Amino acid sequence: MAGSGAPETGGVDASGLKVVVIAGTWHEVITNGLIAGAKRVLDATGATYRVVRVPGSFELPVAARAAFDGGADAVVALGVIIRGGTPHFEFVSSAATDGLTRVALDAGKPVGFGVLTLDDEQQGLDRAGLEGSKEDKGEEAADAAIRTALVLRELRG
């Protein structure tokens, strides 16, 4: 697990930022942990946010685009993709990653990437910010989205 070397999260004022947290519905325990971590960061920073659910990680990019079209300053994309015995994992992982990158670049706004690509469910439980988890990728994704939105606001004057 990466974990070591991760930047500190929190401690920023994101008042006035509108954030949409978009989460898939697969692997509910892990996904709910990611959402809880994102909400903790957003609550602590003062950002205005809402949470919406989509069927899976493949649908995250189109929902992120709609969030930006609706006025969001940042999106936090949360999903869980667990490797199986077919190439489906690679297709969905690639589509979600490439799609979210494209949406962020096209919109010129940040997407916090909290899509877990895993070999097994335990890896997700270890990263979901649940009791006993080693990491909180929902928190990290929300923090990255907020910090980047604030940097972009500063750069654009």
Side-chain angles (χ1 to χ4, degrees):
M1 223 172 312
S4 64
E8 299 248 343
T9 58
V12 297
D13 180 3
S15 300
L17 284 183
K18 292 185 288 184
V19 180
V20 178
V21 178
I22 305 170
T25 56
W26 282 81
H27 308 287
E28 187 175 22
V29 171
I30 298 168
T31 305
N32 286 346
L34 295 172
I35 292 169
K39 289 169 78 172
R40 279 191 297 276
V41 166
L42 296 168
D43 286 336
T45 63
T48 301
Y49 69 92
R50 69 183 193 154
V51 177
V52 297
R53 301 297 291 258
V54 295
S57 295
F58 188 83
E59 293 77 22
L60 291 170
V62 71
R65 181 57 199 230
F68 287 139
D69 289 347
D73 297 305
V75 164
V76 181
L78 305 173
V80 178
I81 309 167
I82 299 178
R83 186 180 307 278
T86 69
H88 183 74
F89 172 86
E90 283 80 13
F91 298 142
V92 174
S93 297
S94 180
T97 302
D98 294 348
L100 290 169
T101 300
R102 179 177 157 199
V103 167
L105 292 172
D106 288 352
K109 296 180 180 182
V111 175
F113 189 79
V115 179
L116 304 183
T117 54
L118 311 165
D119 289 322
D120 57 54
E121 185 177 23
Q122 186 58 52
Q123 289 178 340
L125 295 169
D126 288 341
R127 291 167 175 78
L130 302 166
E131 186 174 334
S133 292
K134 297 173 179 86
E135 297 178 277
D136 189 337
K137 295 300 183 182
E139 174 185 295
E140 291 176 19
D143 188 75
I146 287 170
R147 288 178 187 273
T148 304
L150 293 172
V151 167
L152 293 175
R153 178 188 282 173
E154 180 183 329
L155 288 171
R156 293 175 178 147

